[in-house]
Amino acid sequence: MLKNVLVTGGAGFIGSNFIRYVQHKHPEAKLVNLDLLTYAGSLENFKNLPNPQNHRFVQGDICDQSLVENLLRDEEIDTIVHFAAESHVDRSLKGPDAFIQTNIMGTFVLLEAARKVWLQEQKFNGNSVRFHHISTDEVYGTLEPDDPAFEETTPYAPTSPYAASKASSDHLVRAYANSFGLPITISNCSNNYGPYQFPEKLIPLIILNALTGKPLPIYGDGMQIRDWLYVEDHCDAIWSVLNKGKVGESYNVGGGNQPPNIEIVTTICTLLDEANPSSDFCPHAQLITYVTDRPGHDRRYAMNIDKIYQELDWKPSVDLQEGLRRTVNWYLNHIDWLTVIIKEKDYQNWVEINYQGREGQ
Ligand code: NAD
Ligand code: TYD
């Protein structure tokens, strides 16, 4: 395992961080990065890799069965780390089709290809391969204020098309383990943040808008709660599962914090005030604008991470304040990346679709 690794979605936010993480941790691993380069993926996300000769980029669709099968055979892939997905809840509310296609059908195609090449053609013995599926805490649904945190045994109750498509893919992955003996693991992680996140998600969107003096949109009352994890910690958790995780198991991954959204946004504003005291937009919190809530907005997520801590000795290493400080500094030092990304990816169009007519609630 981990000699020849197929990373799907490696041009996106977490996938590109994972590629960089593996190249530092395990430079001899050969990485094949299969990514369609949708609006969320960019070649800009993996420029200047430490070990470019051990990274091959293939632009293609995970729904393309023959492409995937050929990659597994030709590259002698022994490990699949499956990130590729449509990942934004708001987009799943405006157009769910792509979520069903990529998240459900795409995962099915990858599982079928792995079953065929690994198990039927017996290219490898069963102990030397692994299909690791990246999933989310959103499959568990929403919590009331006093509910206990999600455990791996919490029944699935997804509420958005995004969450339902991820839940569906998790079920398929488990079914392939149970029915065909495919060696799988799954990690369900909370909200990630950090370098290279596309500025449609809360934290980079707030940073970008604050830098340009635009309103900072808070859905509803801003008291929705998420558990936030710095992306490098997520990569480290995946690495732990790949190396020490038990085949067939799922692991919850999270940052162990419970801030309401408004607290995240005010902390970013304070960090920007400190970094940029002469900005015309100081204090940045004056830009906060409450807008119409997301339909069906999950109120609270919380993760119980006892299993991964007790069994694999993993826990987050970057606390929220430090992670936000690093993230704000990264964006301030990568304005050129932001400029290219928002131009390249038809960003303005999405902003209009999602925010027009929503203000002033
Ligand atoms: P992202 O949207 O930044 O990146 C997704 C990548 O997948 C993009 O590079 C895109 O081009 C690629 N892709 C999309 N459709 C594809 C297809 N059909 N074929 C090949 N490539 C395709 O997403 P992310 O935030 O990096 O999330 C990665 C994974 O982690 C997803 O599975 C997501 O559900 C999961 N996850 C994300 C978070 C989070 O907070 N971002 C939290 C928990 C789990
Ligand atoms: P997001 O980053 O889209 O992640 P997710 O929906 O997967 O949790 O949103 C995080 C939280 O921030 C969520 O409660 C929705 C809220 N939010 C806003 O209040 N304003 C925004 O403009 C966005 C994009 C999100």
Side-chain angles (χ1 to χ4, degrees), residues 32-158:
V32 178
N33 177 352
L34 173 62
D35 196 298
L36 188 57
L37 296 182
T38 67
Y39 80 91
S42 173
L43 301 175
E44 297 292 318
N45 292 354
F46 53 87
K47 274 184 170 170
N48 308 321
L49 287 177
N51 219 355
Q53 71 281 10
N54 278 352
H55 173 263
R56 176 185 165 206
F57 177 68
V58 178
Q59 183 172 5
D61 193 335
I62 56 165
C63 299
D64 182 341
Q65 177 100 25
S66 60
L67 169 68
V68 175
E69 278 178 21
N70 287 335
L71 280 178
L72 294 186
R73 289 190 197 101
D74 298 347
E75 301 285 349
E76 300 185 353
I77 298 294
D78 57 36
T79 308
I80 298 173
V81 187
H82 175 32
F83 293 93
E86 289 293 330
S87 69
H88 190 30
V89 173
D90 289 322
R91 286 191 193 247
S92 83
L93 300 171
K94 301 283 181 191
D97 311 45
F99 289 73
I100 306 307
Q101 182 62 20
T102 290
N103 300 2
I104 305 178
M105 286 308 293
T107 302
F108 166 68
V109 166
L110 284 171
L111 288 164
E112 265 301 279
R115 176 164 88 99
K116 193 164 169 193
V117 176
W118 286 349
L119 303 184
Q120 290 178 342
E121 296 172 11
Q122 300 196 318
K123 288 268 177 237
F124 296 87
N125 85 53
N127 296 327
S128 65
V129 290
R130 178 76 66 82
F131 188 111
H132 181 71
H133 178 59
I134 308 296
S135 191
T136 165
D137 58 356
E138 303 196 24
V139 298
Y140 298 121
T142 184
L143 293 169
E144 296 295 328
D146 296 326
D147 284 346
F150 300 130
E151 296 176 18
E152 287 81 355
T153 51
T154 302
Y156 277 25

Side-chain angles (χ1 to χ4, degrees), residues 87-90 136-138 160 162 190-192 197 199-206 209 216-220 222-228 261-262 264-265 289 291-294 297-299 301 350 354-355 358:
S87 69
H88 190 30
V89 173
D90 289 322
T136 165
D137 58 356
E138 303 196 24
S160 70
Y162 164 65
S190 61
N191 284 60
N192 282 219
Q197 187 167 31
E200 63 183 355
K201 305 278 168 65
L202 179 70
I203 288 177
L205 178 115
I206 293 299
N209 283 17
L216 311 182
I218 309 285
Y219 294 167
M223 292 306 288
Q224 305 83 2
I225 289 174
R226 298 291 182 265
D227 174 307
W228 294 93
N261 291 340
I262 188 68
I264 295 283
V265 174
T289 307
V291 302
T292 308
D293 206 351
R294 172 188 282 171
H297 197 168
D298 286 346
R299 197 69 186 162
Y301 304 142
W350 166 249
N354 197 41
Y355 295 98
R358 200 166 184 163

Side-chain angles (χ1 to χ4, degrees), residues 109-352:
V109 166
L110 284 171
L111 288 164
E112 265 301 279
R115 176 164 88 99
K116 193 164 169 193
V117 176
W118 286 349
L119 303 184
Q120 290 178 342
E121 296 172 11
Q122 300 196 318
K123 288 268 177 237
F124 296 87
N125 85 53
N127 296 327
S128 65
V129 290
R130 178 76 66 82
F131 188 111
H132 181 71
H133 178 59
I134 308 296
S135 191
T136 165
D137 58 356
E138 303 196 24
V139 298
Y140 298 121
T142 184
L143 293 169
E144 296 295 328
D146 296 326
D147 284 346
F150 300 130
E151 296 176 18
E152 287 81 355
T153 51
T154 302
Y156 277 25
T159 62
S160 70
Y162 164 65
S165 68
K166 292 298 290 186
S168 183
S169 64
D170 291 13
H171 289 318
L172 279 171
V173 173
R174 282 196 197 97
Y176 269 67
N178 184 65
S179 306
F180 307 119
L182 194 73
I184 64 103
T185 39
I186 300 178
S187 46
N188 292 84
C189 189
S190 61
N191 284 60
N192 282 219
Y193 66 101
Y196 298 101
Q197 187 167 31
F198 190 73
E200 63 183 355
K201 305 278 168 65
L202 179 70
I203 288 177
L205 178 115
I206 293 299
I207 297 172
L208 174 65
N209 283 17
L211 287 174
T212 47
K214 301 214 173 85
L216 311 182
I218 309 285
Y219 294 167
D221 64 0
M223 292 306 288
Q224 305 83 2
I225 289 174
R226 298 291 182 265
D227 174 307
W228 294 93
L229 184 69
Y230 193 62
V231 64
E232 278 174 25
D233 273 333
H234 186 189
C235 296
D236 196 48
I238 297 165
W239 188 252
S240 297
V241 175
L242 286 170
N243 283 283
K244 298 187 270 181
K246 207 165 138 210
V247 168
E249 294 290 310
S250 293
Y251 297 88
N252 278 357
V253 180
N257 48 56
Q258 290 276 288
N261 291 340
I262 188 68
E263 192 179 309
I264 295 283
V265 174
T266 52
T267 303
I268 293 171
C269 289
T270 307
L271 288 164
L272 285 170
D273 292 346
E274 286 164 11
N276 227 344
S278 57
S279 158
D280 288 348
F281 312 121
C282 273
H284 290 87
Q286 69 181 312
L287 299 168
I288 288 174
T289 307
Y290 287 87
V291 302
T292 308
D293 206 351
R294 172 188 282 171
H297 197 168
D298 286 346
R299 197 69 186 162
R300 173 175 167 244
Y301 304 142
M303 289 299 254
N304 180 323
I305 56 168
D306 289 353
K307 179 176 174 180
I308 192 167
Y309 178 56
Q310 283 160 11
E311 295 183 14
L312 311 186
D313 197 26
W314 179 89
K315 62 177 185 335
S317 68
V318 180
D319 72 25
L320 185 58
Q321 184 69 28
E322 169 62 13
L324 287 175
R325 195 186 58 75
R326 285 191 201 177
T327 304
V328 166
N329 286 340
W330 187 87
Y331 279 87
L332 288 174
N333 292 324
H334 291 80
I335 300 287
D336 47 347
W337 177 86
L338 258 181
T339 313
V340 173
I341 290 290
I342 63 178
K343 229 186 252 158
E344 191 184 71
K345 296 301 177 183
D346 199 16
Y347 181 68
Q348 204 45 47
N349 190 31
W350 166 249
V351 170
E352 274 157 33

